[in-house]
Amino acid sequence: MSISQDYTDYIAWDRLPHMWCPGCGNGIALKGLALALAKQGIPRHKVLMATGIGCSGRAGSYVSFHSFDGTHGRTIAFCTGINVAQPDLKIVAFLGDGDCGAIGGNHLLHAARRNNDLTVLEINNFTYGMTGGQFSPTTPAHSFSSTSKHGKVDYGMDMCYLVAEAGANYVASTTVYHTAQLNKFINEAISTRGFSFVEIASPCPTYYGRHNNLRSAPEMMEWFKERALPKEKYDELTIEEKQKYIMRGRLVQRDREDFLTMYMNELNNE
Amino acid sequence: MSKFFVEGNVASALGAIKAGARFFAGYPISPASELAEYCSQEMPKVGGIYMQMEDEIASMAAVIGASLGGMKAFTATSGPGMSLMQENIGYASMVEAPCVIINVQRFGLSTGVATSPGQSDIMQARWGRHGDQSIIALTPSSVQGCFDLTVEAFNLAERFSSPVMVLFEASIAHLRERINILESEELHLIERKKPDVSPEDYKPYKPDERGVPRLSYYGSEHILKTTGLVHTETGNISSDARVCAALVERLERKIEDYQDELPPPKYYGTKDAETVLVSFGISSRAAREAVYRANLAGISAGLIELQTVWPFPEKAIAQYLSKALRVIVVEMNRGQVTREIERVVSRNLVDPLLRTDTNIFYPHDILDKIKEVHDI
């Protein structure tokens, strides 16, 4: 296969139109990935789109390259096996906040700890969209959802700090409103050897927005514009205040040995 | 070929490595831990990888991932871990990923007795997943069997593009016997069939004449798309009624229609015996001795020893039982195989000998039962 340089080569145009709602941010994140792949000229057969369950889980249908659609929460664990079998394959897990933070939280932590050579893009729409708008681990405290009609009674989870602490080589966060930064972060993440993680706040006007007075996509975009703070400012907030804001910026960029490199080095040192 | 004096866990790990497995992912659990330990030492020596995962769910996922990356891959666990793996074993059946799961059965429900043997995962092996599918499960009864049937499991996994289970008990896992280990070159090994069309024309889930797809691997120019959702031959999702019906039927029939390729039951003792025992695993060793002693005492008795428990070898068993007046199913559970036998022959003929007290059967237990039913 020839080296691709046009992002459109990575899209399965014959599978469109997609099934995502008007105003959904999944397409913006997907385009960010296609742009990064084109920029790096990665051949189509050397990249894998790995998804889980939920709205983001359909992304594999819309790419022209390898795709893997796993069981709910387990995608990252599947990817660790794929990575070992195919170390040269660029693996990108395109997952929702439920997949990453709830059912798959343990796998996320341990893949970051082992520093498996994967990229995880967490499309954080603060809700379980596919099942009708229930709250997720990243839904901010006091927010409304179809299972928190009186306001959510626990705190939203700070995924980036969690993954950074677990040992990932690259961690960043932004929103689909900040597309230039989004595209840059995705590009940096897939260039990283080892575990990389980008949290991408994404609008779900259908559920999260509707329950929280952000009924249209433009309203949600405005919300991101106002509520996404650069890391330095975000870090100054109290834990209660952080529930109302989104962090934007890079937390970690380092070069720890990834799992497979460390495995081979340990054996050679024997 | 070389002689080894090893326990069942090690024999099974050796079988996997000689069959070409180069990836093991697992989570420590009694009584299967020695298998993981052996793989952690030996896999690197053959260029393979040992991965210790965060739990059994992740272990099964990593095994399937490695398989879809083109490797022969396996895991080993026991009942509680097996329960956790079920969801992803269902995924492996759906995406038709060849892989092997060793279940070293321990005693009882829930945590049970972690270090005692059991044979109560027979139905879990067959029906542990949601949804319809067929599954292959093999039951060795010796340390040599652990080696041989693990090799066979890898062959069947590739032949049928399916997960394959090997079930033995803590007692065989920790039993040491002298066995013959064949080298890879001496074994008949089945490798995955490669796509036979160009990348442009490739459809990963287009079945061959036996209902089995030619799976590519991630990284190949033949683009592979896998999903646990119902999918068409291209690997793209569909909820079309005809696509759903055809897929569910094919996943079952690609195995059930080719049962004659699976290891057949073995028969010991009097031909066309009046009293026929049915057993498997560690229990069938005692049953074999009991039948031998019964025959010496002039009793017409035989034993059907299962090597394949799923799909249940109904035809072969029905043939062996065609002249039987009594059938004694010997198993360490509350009658999981017994109910299968009752589907094959009249229930009135079946008189099970069950044991669920953490102990294995002894030949005299079974001989007493044979004599008891003969006196009736």
Side-chain angles (χ1 to χ4, degrees), chain A residues 8 24 42 87 91 114 120 122 129 134 144 160 170 191 211 231 252:
Chain A
T8 60
C24 175
I42 300 171
I91 302 173
R114 281 189 298 260
V120 175
E122 185 221 346
Q134 299 80 17
F144 300 103
C160 286
Y170 183 91
S191 313
H211 285 295
K231 181 179 176 300
V252 174

Side-chain angles (χ1 to χ4, degrees), chain A residues 182-235:
Chain A
L182 171 69
N183 296 345
K184 184 175 152 217
F185 284 169
I186 294 177
N187 192 47
E188 287 177 351
I190 67 169
S191 313
T192 302
R193 181 144 185 106
F195 195 85
S196 55
F197 180 83
V198 184
E199 183 172 46
I200 303 164
S202 174
C204 177
T206 306
Y207 289 114
Y208 186 79
R210 181 157 58 84
H211 285 295
N212 292 282
N213 274 327
L214 301 160
R215 285 174 180 271
S216 68
E219 279 175 280
M220 288 218 73
M221 286 297 205
E222 283 291 329
W223 186 62
F224 287 152
K225 186 181 167 188
E226 288 163 16
R227 295 288 170 153
L229 299 181
K231 181 179 176 300
E232 302 72 40
K233 283 194 178 171
Y234 179 84
D235 285 345

Side-chain angles (χ1 to χ4, degrees), chain B residues 34-47:
Chain B
E34 294 83 1
L35 216 157
E37 288 171 354
Y38 189 80
C39 285
S40 75
Q41 293 163 34
E42 298 303 314
M43 274 297 185
K45 294 180 189 167
V46 294

Side-chain angles (χ1 to χ4, degrees), chain A residues 60 63 66 69 71 86 107 263, chain B residues 54 69 88 91 220 225-227:
Chain A
V63 297
H66 292 286
D69 178 26
T71 48
Q86 292 292 330
H107 308 308
Y263 190 92
Chain B
E54 53 272 21
N88 286 338
Y91 182 86
S220 161
K225 289 191 172 283
T226 66
T227 173

Side-chain angles (χ1 to χ4, degrees), chain B residues 257-268:
Chain B
D257 287 0
Y258 296 89
Q259 278 191 45
D260 54 353
E261 293 183 34
L262 305 175
K266 290 178 177 172
Y267 189 85
Y268 299 92

Side-chain angles (χ1 to χ4, degrees), chain A residues 1 15 44-46 48 58 60-72 74 77-82 84-86 89 103 106-108 110-111 113-114 116 259-260 263-264 267, chain B residues 23 40 43-44 48-55 57-58 60-66 68-71 87-88 91 199 216-229 236-237:
Chain A
M1 272 179 204
R15 299 292 302 168
R44 284 197 298 123
H45 68 286
K46 287 296 176 196
L48 168 68
R58 300 299 171 87
S61 299
Y62 309 132
V63 297
S64 62
F65 47 91
H66 292 286
S67 68
F68 168 89
D69 178 26
T71 48
H72 194 25
R74 318 303 173 201
F78 282 98
C79 289
T80 59
I82 300 169
V84 165
Q86 292 292 330
L89 185 70
I103 188 166
N106 200 29
H107 308 308
L108 175 69
H110 287 277
R113 172 181 65 79
R114 281 189 298 260
N116 292 105
F259 171 81
L260 213 49
Y263 190 92
M264 295 307 172
L267 294 181
Chain B
F23 184 79
S40 75
M43 274 297 185
I49 302 278
Y50 166 84
M51 272 195 91
Q52 193 162 304
M53 300 299 289
E54 53 272 21
D55 56 30
I57 300 171
M60 195 61 231
V63 163
I64 295 164
L68 294 174
M71 283 178 128
E87 181 195 28
N88 286 338
Y91 182 86
S216 171
Y217 60 89
Y218 293 132
S220 161
E221 294 200 358
H222 291 79
I223 297 296
L224 177 60
K225 289 191 172 283
T226 66
T227 173
L229 288 157
N236 281 308
I237 64 175

Side-chain angles (χ1 to χ4, degrees), chain A residues 87-109:
Chain A
D88 299 331
L89 185 70
K90 194 67 78 183
I91 302 173
V92 181
F94 193 90
L95 304 171
D97 38 309
D99 233 304
C100 260
I103 188 166
N106 200 29
H107 308 308
L108 175 69
L109 280 187

